[in-house]
Amino acid sequence: MKNNCRPCTDEELVGFYCGSSFVFEGIINTIVHRNDLQWSELTVQATRMYRDSQQSVLSKVIHNEDRTVTQQVRLCRPLGCGSKPSYGEFLFMGRWKLGNPILYCAPKLAEWRKVRRKASGEGKNQCVLE
């Protein structure tokens, strides 16, 4: 389980970007640790969607006061990873497993941009890196 918790390498980030079921930018709103399911559930406000193979990772939330609509995503991560709230914008990548969207990698957006530039410059991109 701990192996799933370590930070992704640059090569893994590029591979997951190209091969994940869902890839999107967003901001973490809340993290709830579910001991009963052995998962941490992250609620993320999606700001830009790149891929959603099942077209079901997003849910729309209407805020009653101002009637604005935001797109929320609920992601799962093993409880043993000790997920903690963090500020800033991230790139979230993962796959569906038993009907749950499982988070694989979530680098800060600035970190992802550096990895993307380097991979593209060295010709190590496995797909078009947006």
Side-chain angles (χ1 to χ4, degrees), residues 96-116:
W96 290 88
K97 184 175 181 180
L98 301 175
N100 292 304
I102 307 300
L103 178 63
Y104 286 169
C105 295
K108 288 232 178 202
L109 205 47
E111 177 189 344
W112 165 247
R113 288 179 178 143
K114 288 178 189 174
V115 169
R116 180 185 66 198

Side-chain angles (χ1 to χ4, degrees), residues 4 9 13-14 16 21 26 29 40 58 68 71 76 79 93 97 102 104 112-113 116:
N4 295 335
T9 65
L13 289 174
V14 172
F16 281 129
S21 300
N29 287 338
S40 292
L58 291 175
T68 58
Q71 295 184 314
C76 300
L79 185 63
M93 300 176 274
K97 184 175 181 180
I102 307 300
Y104 286 169
W112 165 247
R113 288 179 178 143
R116 180 185 66 198

Side-chain angles (χ1 to χ4, degrees), residues 2 18 36 39 49 57-58 64 86 93 97 105 110-111 119:
K2 279 290 185 197
C18 295
D36 57 333
W39 289 111
M49 181 63 65
V57 77
L58 291 175
N64 291 331
S86 187
M93 300 176 274
K97 184 175 181 180
C105 295
E111 177 189 344

Side-chain angles (χ1 to χ4, degrees), residues 44-123:
V44 176
Q45 179 180 341
T47 56
R48 183 174 181 192
M49 181 63 65
Y50 293 98
R51 182 179 318 116
D52 182 5
S53 66
Q54 295 197 11
Q55 298 180 345
S56 59
V57 77
L58 291 175
S59 63
K60 292 182 181 176
V61 177
I62 297 175
H63 299 281
N64 291 331
E65 312 84 52
D66 56 6
R67 304 292 299 159
T68 58
V69 177
T70 60
Q71 295 184 314
Q72 299 276 322
V73 179
R74 181 191 62 88
L75 300 174
C76 300
R77 192 156 187 241
L79 185 63
C81 292
S83 298
K84 297 176 186 170
S86 187
Y87 296 101
E89 201 163 2
F90 296 83
L91 182 72
F92 297 91
M93 300 176 274
R95 293 194 177 131
W96 290 88
K97 184 175 181 180
L98 301 175
N100 292 304
I102 307 300
L103 178 63
Y104 286 169
C105 295
K108 288 232 178 202
L109 205 47
E111 177 189 344
W112 165 247
R113 288 179 178 143
K114 288 178 189 174
V115 169
R116 180 185 66 198
R117 266 192 305 275
K118 181 180 175 189
S120 294
E122 294 175 355

